[in-house]
Amino acid sequence: MALPLLPGNSFNRNLGKEKFNKSQHFDYSNGIPKMVGEEKPGIGGELLLGQKMRPKYTVFPKGEGSDAPSWVAFDKQVLCFDAYFQESVHEKREEQFRIRRCKIYFYLEDDTIQVVEPEIKNSGIPQGTFIRRHRIPLPPPYDDECYTLEHFNINQEMVFYSRTFTITDCDAFTRNFLRKLGVRLNSPSATPKDPYSTVRNQMQESMKPLRPFERLDKLKQFLDHDRHVLRFFCFWDDSDAMFGDPRELTLHYFLADDTIEIREVVQANSGRDAAPMFLQRNKLPKHAPAPKHQPGEIADRTVLNVFGPMGQGGRYIVDSHKTGAVHQEFYKDCDLAIGAVINVWGRKVIICDCDGFTKEYYRTKYGVEDFTPVRHRASPGPRLEKKVPPYNGFGSEEDSLCSCQGLMPKPPQKDFRKMMEKDRHGLDSNVLRFVAKMITNSPVDSERKFIISYFLCDDTIAVFEPPQRNSGVIGGKFLERGRIKKPEQELFKSELSEYFKTQDLFVGAKLSFNGYNFQLVDTDEYTFNYMEKHADEFPMANISTIISKMKEICDTKLKEIKKSFVMNDPTSTGVIEYAPFRNLLTEVAEGQLSEHEIMTVGRHYSIREQHETDTDLLVSVAQEQLRKKTFESFLELADFFVHNDRKKSGFLPIQESRTLCKAFKLPVADDLLREIMARFQNDQEELDYNAFLSAIDWKEHPLPYSQPGALIQTASDWNREATSPAVKNINYMILVEDVFGKQD
């Protein structure tokens, strides 16, 4: 029994309802009040009584395919229908109507329709896109709706803007798609013939001449061998003619149409103008020059008059035997071979050689294997050696040599690439510095110390003498920067002099600079690291070469070496100091190991303590640089990093982070910026940009400023190289194992 419809006995329909908006159904249109919301729902989006929502787009069955929207699932998928429409023609006797064929395209992604009429030659009608792509409304009284997929089928009429189109057929994709949707397709129908087109085709057929025809198919040869050219190197001896001389030619045979062109190879300073073409591209007759022929004597076809009068009304056929035809023989690819003599309009040309493509072509098609070239000219005589006059003492030797190489003297070329690669980059100076002392009997000069700097960018050397108190010698520049010749060389000679190279400078080397003898006694850490990094250029710093050398020297002195190591290591720790280690190697090697090689071995087997620059010290210097430049855009820089962090992980690669800082014009020195970023990177060499930006923010996290002099001692750290003190302790156990093998 149902409850009576009384207050308190009915359910409140608004329970659980969240939307109570009311649609606007009445409005002014062109100043007239009218109802504009016939399809709009009522309060809260609910339908009014008797109102049905009609779908605006095609509804596809659910559960089939993916759940992607139609504009994704049906992207670039179009249904194609064949259709026609009839157009009336007024006041014309030849035709009363026209049948115009067209294509109807239905785009599944947005239910748009496009009608295209194929172009017909000489139709006189603007054809192409008949209706541009858009949604087409249904005919009245349903013009408030648009065509969807449900309205399409074969053999039915459709009205587009009062023009009736009849669909006759569709393509295979459209047929399969509609069948999968459950649409029962009608049988295709034929398109009626257009009367005017029928009459026009008859007129065109009647205008074609009824002449004999013989098909000459040259398209296949063109398609198979287009851009395939055989190249031969030829020789024509024109010495018998007045002012004639031998000439070299290049013959091109085009396989696409069996034509030949010849170009002349004009040598430099030959006194002959470079003509663009020796023989223009055409078929080359074998028996040339040939007699002249009358017009019409040479033709592709031979026509016979079978019966009937001459001219109109006669009957003609093509003579397949070509009786009376003039035959001309032209050069083919089978006639061209190395050593063959061809007739080029009366000139005897010898084929001497060919290129690789031509050899492969003849090897594949004709089975030719012998491609021995024909020698058409005598072998050149011995080349005279160009003698250079000796150096006269004016200018440099390179400058004087350039004046002998041409009429217009040019300055000597420098190795610009080497200069750019080995020039100073930040703190990487590319300068090798050595400490040297003068080899002399003078007690005053023997105490002097010099700094020899070798510049890798241009192989120049500069010598500087540090001032020493109470030495009696004024320090400063001792030798101007420049290239220094090796001693004991002849001054006035034709060959270039030898200069000091990087391989000549190492600890223990004795050098002679302009009569002053020096001995290199030490070098700085950068030079040691550079020479060990480029060990293939510096054999004195190549640890593999030195170990192999030590194996040959110390092969019979194992017991003596072990005894010396045990005496200097009474506690058997496996470690000794550098001084006794050096003395032992010097004594064992007996002068076969240089001082630099001994120092390289000591550095390789030394025990070092790693020293690291304080991070706060680096950050304080960076904050001071930012403070001086009044840089305060830290929030914008943080947004810039977040924008480039696609994964939103808070980390970016170091190289990309440096690029972002440069793009934002962060006023911090590049070496200092690189070192600070290295302190905030993880194992994958990615920068924690949040911590980095928080550290350099001098407004939010200021640090006390430190003097820049505190960073001078750790400047080499900025090159990502550990600062190492002087070598003190050597692990001789590993050295003995590498030289003599593993010992018990």
Side-chain angles (χ1 to χ4, degrees), residues 34-56:
K34 59 187 298 185
M35 184 175 182
V36 296
E38 297 178 357
E39 297 183 359
K40 293 184 178 180
I43 298 176
E46 295 182 355
L47 299 179
L48 300 175
L49 294 176
Q51 187 180 25
K52 295 182 179 180
M53 295 298 294
R54 288 172 290 186
K56 295 183 179 181

mmCIF file of all heavy atoms in Angstrom, residues 34-56:
data_model
loop_
_atom_site.group_PDB
_atom_site.id
_atom_site.type_symbol
_atom_site.label_atom_id
_atom_site.label_comp_id
_atom_site.label_asym_id
_atom_site.label_seq_id
_atom_site.Cartn_x
_atom_site.Cartn_y
_atom_site.Cartn_z
ATOM 1 N N LYS A 34 12.364 36.527 -26.735
ATOM 2 C CA LYS A 34 11.971 35.224 -27.262
ATOM 3 C C LYS A 34 12.617 34.137 -26.401
ATOM 4 O O LYS A 34 13.544 34.393 -25.627
ATOM 5 C CB LYS A 34 12.384 35.069 -28.715
ATOM 6 C CG LYS A 34 13.876 35.208 -28.946
ATOM 7 C CD LYS A 34 14.243 35.209 -30.413
ATOM 8 C CE LYS A 34 13.856 33.929 -31.060
ATOM 9 N NZ LYS A 34 14.308 33.866 -32.470
ATOM 10 N N MET A 35 12.133 32.913 -26.592
ATOM 11 C CA MET A 35 12.670 31.771 -25.873
ATOM 12 C C MET A 35 13.884 31.230 -26.636
ATOM 13 O O MET A 35 13.786 30.859 -27.807
ATOM 14 C CB MET A 35 11.609 30.679 -25.741
ATOM 15 C CG MET A 35 12.059 29.484 -24.918
ATOM 16 S SD MET A 35 10.719 28.303 -24.676
ATOM 17 C CE MET A 35 11.544 27.098 -23.665
ATOM 18 N N VAL A 36 15.004 31.211 -25.968
ATOM 19 C CA VAL A 36 16.249 30.797 -26.618
ATOM 20 C C VAL A 36 16.790 29.495 -26.067
ATOM 21 O O VAL A 36 17.778 28.974 -26.569
ATOM 22 C CB VAL A 36 17.321 31.897 -26.466
ATOM 23 C CG1 VAL A 36 16.891 33.156 -27.181
ATOM 24 C CG2 VAL A 36 17.623 32.185 -24.998
ATOM 25 N N GLY A 37 16.199 28.967 -25.052
ATOM 26 C CA GLY A 37 16.746 27.768 -24.411
ATOM 27 C C GLY A 37 15.831 26.581 -24.481
ATOM 28 O O GLY A 37 15.471 26.009 -23.448
ATOM 29 N N GLU A 38 15.401 26.221 -25.698
ATOM 30 C CA GLU A 38 14.512 25.080 -25.815
ATOM 31 C C GLU A 38 15.190 23.781 -25.408
ATOM 32 O O GLU A 38 14.541 22.878 -24.891
ATOM 33 C CB GLU A 38 14.012 24.978 -27.256
ATOM 34 C CG GLU A 38 13.187 26.184 -27.705
ATOM 35 C CD GLU A 38 12.750 26.046 -29.152
ATOM 36 O OE1 GLU A 38 13.165 25.043 -29.770
ATOM 37 O OE2 GLU A 38 12.025 26.919 -29.637
ATOM 38 N N GLU A 39 16.473 23.696 -25.654
ATOM 39 C CA GLU A 39 17.184 22.467 -25.326
ATOM 40 C C GLU A 39 17.907 22.542 -23.990
ATOM 41 O O GLU A 39 18.559 21.585 -23.592
ATOM 42 C CB GLU A 39 18.199 22.146 -26.418
ATOM 43 C CG GLU A 39 17.565 21.875 -27.766
ATOM 44 C CD GLU A 39 18.600 21.484 -28.794
ATOM 45 O OE1 GLU A 39 19.798 21.463 -28.429
ATOM 46 O OE2 GLU A 39 18.234 21.190 -29.944
ATOM 47 N N LYS A 40 17.801 23.651 -23.305
ATOM 48 C CA LYS A 40 18.486 23.769 -22.028
ATOM 49 C C LYS A 40 17.708 23.051 -20.941
ATOM 50 O O LYS A 40 16.472 23.079 -20.927
ATOM 51 C CB LYS A 40 18.663 25.244 -21.664
ATOM 52 C CG LYS A 40 19.610 25.987 -22.600
ATOM 53 C CD LYS A 40 19.836 27.406 -22.145
ATOM 54 C CE LYS A 40 20.826 28.125 -23.060
ATOM 55 N NZ LYS A 40 21.057 29.510 -22.618
ATOM 56 N N PRO A 41 18.416 22.415 -20.014
ATOM 57 C CA PRO A 41 17.701 21.682 -18.953
ATOM 58 C C PRO A 41 17.148 22.635 -17.900
ATOM 59 O O PRO A 41 17.331 23.848 -17.947
ATOM 60 C CB PRO A 41 18.783 20.770 -18.380
ATOM 61 C CG PRO A 41 20.061 21.505 -18.642
ATOM 62 C CD PRO A 41 19.860 22.231 -19.940
ATOM 63 N N GLY A 42 16.476 22.011 -16.910
ATOM 64 C CA GLY A 42 15.866 22.808 -15.854
ATOM 65 C C GLY A 42 16.827 23.051 -14.717
ATOM 66 O O GLY A 42 18.042 23.160 -14.901
ATOM 67 N N ILE A 43 16.266 23.123 -13.492
ATOM 68 C CA ILE A 43 17.068 23.429 -12.307
ATOM 69 C C ILE A 43 18.027 22.276 -12.023
ATOM 70 O O ILE A 43 17.633 21.109 -12.000
ATOM 71 C CB ILE A 43 16.146 23.696 -11.098
ATOM 72 C CG1 ILE A 43 15.267 24.914 -11.374
ATOM 73 C CG2 ILE A 43 16.970 23.896 -9.830
ATOM 74 C CD1 ILE A 43 14.267 25.175 -10.287
ATOM 75 N N GLY A 44 19.299 22.639 -11.811
ATOM 76 C CA GLY A 44 20.306 21.644 -11.469
ATOM 77 C C GLY A 44 20.695 20.748 -12.619
ATOM 78 O O GLY A 44 21.306 19.707 -12.406
ATOM 79 N N GLY A 45 20.336 21.099 -13.844
ATOM 80 C CA GLY A 45 20.705 20.284 -14.985
ATOM 81 C C GLY A 45 19.763 19.146 -15.285
ATOM 82 O O GLY A 45 20.037 18.323 -16.165
ATOM 83 N N GLU A 46 18.615 19.052 -14.572
ATOM 84 C CA GLU A 46 17.654 17.992 -14.830
ATOM 85 C C GLU A 46 16.777 18.365 -16.016
ATOM 86 O O GLU A 46 16.462 19.537 -16.247
ATOM 87 C CB GLU A 46 16.796 17.749 -13.589
ATOM 88 C CG GLU A 46 17.583 17.222 -12.396
ATOM 89 C CD GLU A 46 16.676 16.959 -11.211
ATOM 90 O OE1 GLU A 46 15.470 17.291 -11.319
ATOM 91 O OE2 GLU A 46 17.156 16.435 -10.196
ATOM 92 N N LEU A 47 16.346 17.347 -16.754
ATOM 93 C CA LEU A 47 15.505 17.578 -17.919
ATOM 94 C C LEU A 47 14.103 17.984 -17.496
ATOM 95 O O LEU A 47 13.571 17.528 -16.473
ATOM 96 C CB LEU A 47 15.453 16.320 -18.790
ATOM 97 C CG LEU A 47 16.784 15.825 -19.377
ATOM 98 C CD1 LEU A 47 16.559 14.556 -20.190
ATOM 99 C CD2 LEU A 47 17.427 16.890 -20.218
ATOM 100 N N LEU A 48 13.491 18.837 -18.307
ATOM 101 C CA LEU A 48 12.114 19.246 -18.065
ATOM 102 C C LEU A 48 11.162 18.152 -18.520
ATOM 103 O O LEU A 48 11.549 17.179 -19.180
ATOM 104 C CB LEU A 48 11.832 20.554 -18.806
ATOM 105 C CG LEU A 48 12.716 21.756 -18.417
ATOM 106 C CD1 LEU A 48 12.407 22.934 -19.321
ATOM 107 C CD2 LEU A 48 12.509 22.134 -16.968
ATOM 108 N N LEU A 49 9.892 18.308 -18.167
ATOM 109 C CA LEU A 49 8.898 17.311 -18.545
ATOM 110 C C LEU A 49 8.746 17.291 -20.057
ATOM 111 O O LEU A 49 8.529 18.316 -20.695
ATOM 112 C CB LEU A 49 7.555 17.626 -17.876
ATOM 113 C CG LEU A 49 7.533 17.506 -16.343
ATOM 114 C CD1 LEU A 49 6.188 17.926 -15.791
ATOM 115 C CD2 LEU A 49 7.873 16.103 -15.906
ATOM 116 N N GLY A 50 8.860 16.103 -20.651
ATOM 117 C CA GLY A 50 8.731 15.945 -22.088
ATOM 118 C C GLY A 50 9.956 16.342 -22.874
ATOM 119 O O GLY A 50 9.913 16.351 -24.113
ATOM 120 N N GLN A 51 11.060 16.677 -22.211
ATOM 121 C CA GLN A 51 12.270 17.098 -22.897
ATOM 122 C C GLN A 51 13.227 15.923 -23.056
ATOM 123 O O GLN A 51 13.391 15.115 -22.138
ATOM 124 C CB GLN A 51 12.976 18.217 -22.124
ATOM 125 C CG GLN A 51 14.151 18.831 -22.848
ATOM 126 C CD GLN A 51 14.811 19.919 -22.038
ATOM 127 O OE1 GLN A 51 14.726 19.918 -20.811
ATOM 128 N NE2 GLN A 51 15.429 20.860 -22.706
ATOM 129 N N LYS A 52 13.802 15.777 -24.248
ATOM 130 C CA LYS A 52 14.759 14.726 -24.546
ATOM 131 C C LYS A 52 16.033 15.370 -25.087
ATOM 132 O O LYS A 52 15.963 16.230 -25.956
ATOM 133 C CB LYS A 52 14.205 13.736 -25.572
ATOM 134 C CG LYS A 52 13.005 12.939 -25.082
ATOM 135 C CD LYS A 52 12.545 11.951 -26.134
ATOM 136 C CE LYS A 52 11.355 11.140 -25.636
ATOM 137 N NZ LYS A 52 10.890 10.171 -26.669
ATOM 138 N N MET A 53 17.164 14.943 -24.575
ATOM 139 C CA MET A 53 18.450 15.452 -25.032
ATOM 140 C C MET A 53 18.909 14.659 -26.254
ATOM 141 O O MET A 53 19.071 13.439 -26.192
ATOM 142 C CB MET A 53 19.499 15.351 -23.916
ATOM 143 C CG MET A 53 19.196 16.219 -22.718
ATOM 144 S SD MET A 53 19.163 17.972 -23.125
ATOM 145 C CE MET A 53 20.860 18.220 -23.545
ATOM 146 N N ARG A 54 19.062 15.371 -27.343
ATOM 147 C CA ARG A 54 19.514 14.737 -28.572
ATOM 148 C C ARG A 54 21.040 14.840 -28.663
ATOM 149 O O ARG A 54 21.607 15.901 -28.401
ATOM 150 C CB ARG A 54 18.873 15.416 -29.785
ATOM 151 C CG ARG A 54 17.386 15.106 -29.922
ATOM 152 C CD ARG A 54 16.749 15.941 -30.995
ATOM 153 N NE ARG A 54 16.671 17.349 -30.586
ATOM 154 C CZ ARG A 54 16.055 18.292 -31.286
ATOM 155 N NH1 ARG A 54 15.466 17.968 -32.423
ATOM 156 N NH2 ARG A 54 16.028 19.540 -30.870
ATOM 157 N N PRO A 55 21.679 13.753 -29.015
ATOM 158 C CA PRO A 55 23.157 13.808 -29.096
ATOM 159 C C PRO A 55 23.599 14.736 -30.209
ATOM 160 O O PRO A 55 23.039 14.737 -31.303
ATOM 161 C CB PRO A 55 23.545 12.348 -29.375
ATOM 162 C CG PRO A 55 22.329 11.742 -29.997
ATOM 163 C CD PRO A 55 21.145 12.424 -29.370
ATOM 164 N N LYS A 56 24.600 15.536 -29.913
ATOM 165 C CA LYS A 56 25.114 16.483 -30.894
ATOM 166 C C LYS A 56 26.171 15.861 -31.802
ATOM 167 O O LYS A 56 26.415 16.358 -32.889
ATOM 168 C CB LYS A 56 25.719 17.703 -30.177
ATOM 169 C CG LYS A 56 24.695 18.515 -29.400
ATOM 170 C CD LYS A 56 25.344 19.739 -28.776
ATOM 171 C CE LYS A 56 24.310 20.577 -28.016
ATOM 172 N NZ LYS A 56 24.907 21.791 -27.413
#
